[in-house]
Amino acid sequence: AMALSANALPANAAETTHGEMAAAIRSANYPCAHVIGLENAGENAWSVECNSGQFRVSRDADGNFTVSRSE
């Protein structure tokens, strides 16, 4: 898993766009040309389906995102 800064990303899932999630995943060195599905997976956590697979994106109290591949 790789953490990255969340400065450019919105504060909540309702404002989180597919493009922003794809960018966060790519910033963590995973492939993601486009997001197929996005759903809230808890507070500050999302389940993201990209064209390249499933990912879990979460945000810590400092606003840093962590991205991991989920199979």
Side-chain angles (χ1 to χ4, degrees):
M2 177 178 253
L4 58 141
S5 175
N7 295 339
L9 295 176
N12 63 51
E15 297 173 356
T16 303
T17 67
H18 287 195
E20 289 165 326
M21 283 287 116
I25 291 166
R26 287 192 302 268
S27 293
N29 296 317
Y30 290 109
C32 183
H34 62 276
V35 171
I36 297 167
L38 173 64
E39 61 180 68
N40 196 335
E43 188 171 339
N44 292 315
W46 301 269
S47 176
V48 184
E49 181 181 357
C50 282
N51 62 303
S52 62
Q54 290 284 130
F55 297 90
R56 178 170 172 84
V57 180
S58 60
R59 183 177 50 225
D60 66 19
D62 294 325
N64 297 311
F65 281 88
T66 300
V67 178
S68 60
R69 185 178 287 275
S70 56
E71 299 297 333

